[in-house]
Amino acid sequence: MIYIKEISAQDTFPIRLEVLRKNIPLPHEFNGDLDSDTIHFGAFKNDELIAVSSFMKATNPNFEGSQYQLRGMATLTKYQGSGAGKLMLQQAFVILRKKNIAVLWCNARILALNFYQKQGFKTFGKKFEISYVGEHYVMFKNLN
Ligand SMILES: CC(C)(COP(=O)(O)OP(=O)(O)OC[C@H]1O[C@@H](n2cnc3c(N)ncnc32)[C@H](O)[C@@H]1OP(=O)(O)O)[C@@H](O)C(=O)NCCC(=O)NCCS
């Protein structure tokens, strides 16, 4: 069974590096990682950390109201498709709603578009390129 727990920024780094930064010369530490209102989630299977995600207060001028940004969403390859990502997002929706956050948004890799759409995110605007990582869409979900 997979369960979700709050973890530290430090705990997210090995999976960020492995899944999101392999051969990609971009930082694996993000501005805001250590902010007091940032939330880091880990998904565990048999006490092994298999997926991570981070939720940070960040405003995108395209949206209104209080906002969080989802960053560093990653599941170890061998556990992808086993529900860890979905569980972390569902847990985040509950917690962010309790904080009266109106919008959760992210810069989504094209390959992950379908994953986010299944959790109720919509694309906003045009595709854009992030160096070394490829094409992205801004995606958002209204929480209220
Ligand atoms: C995208 C990612 C975070 C999804 O996490 P995950 O733990 O594999 O996702 P889940 O197992 O919770 O999947 C939930 C649903 O989305 C689907 N899904 C997951 N990844 C998908 C993908 N890349 N493309 C299409 N559908 C996907 C699953 O099939 C599942 O569908 P179901 O509910 O109908 O069964 C993970 O695959 C990953 O780490 N990919 C590489 C890194 C990456 O692209 N991160 C996102 C950066 S924006």
Side-chain angles (χ1 to χ4, degrees):
M1 202 186 77
I2 295 170
Y3 63 94
I4 309 303
K5 216 168 67 174
E6 246 188 85
I7 58 175
S8 68
Q10 197 84 26
D11 292 338
T12 68
F13 296 162
I15 292 183
R16 281 188 191 168
L17 280 165
E18 168 74 23
V19 180
L20 298 171
R21 291 292 181 258
K22 220 169 207 172
N23 306 316
I24 293 178
L26 293 176
H28 65 279
E29 299 187 34
F30 304 146
N31 287 337
D33 263 343
L34 301 178
D35 289 359
S36 58
D37 43 21
T38 292
I39 304 160
H40 302 280
F41 276 144
F44 292 81
K45 188 169 187 180
N46 300 324
D47 294 333
E48 181 192 357
L49 182 59
I50 63 164
V52 297
S53 53
S54 300
F55 301 85
M56 302 178 183
K57 217 165 204 257
T59 301
N60 181 319
N62 294 305
F63 306 123
E64 284 181 0
S66 55
Q67 304 171 25
Y68 261 65
Q69 181 183 6
L70 162 61
R71 300 198 66 185
M73 166 67 86
T75 301
L76 291 174
T77 311
K78 75 170 178 171
Y79 294 109
Q80 286 176 10
S82 58
K86 178 178 173 171
L87 276 176
M88 288 192 294
L89 282 182
Q90 287 175 344
Q91 187 98 348
F93 299 155
V94 171
I95 287 181
L96 295 176
R97 282 188 178 116
K98 279 189 192 151
K99 289 173 169 287
N100 288 317
I101 302 302
V103 178
L104 176 62
W105 65 275
C106 64
N107 294 323
R109 294 182 184 194
I110 295 284
L111 282 174
L113 228 59
N114 201 21
F115 164 73
Y116 290 117
Q117 277 163 346
K118 281 191 168 171
Q119 303 316 315
F121 284 79
K122 295 190 171 112
T123 58
F124 177 89
K126 291 186 182 156
K127 243 182 347 196
F128 62 97
E129 181 82 13
I130 297 183
S131 298
Y132 305 108
V133 192
E135 292 182 324
H136 287 69
Y137 274 99
V138 169
M139 294 191 84
F140 70 101
K141 180 177 168 90
N142 287 318
L143 296 174
N144 48 28

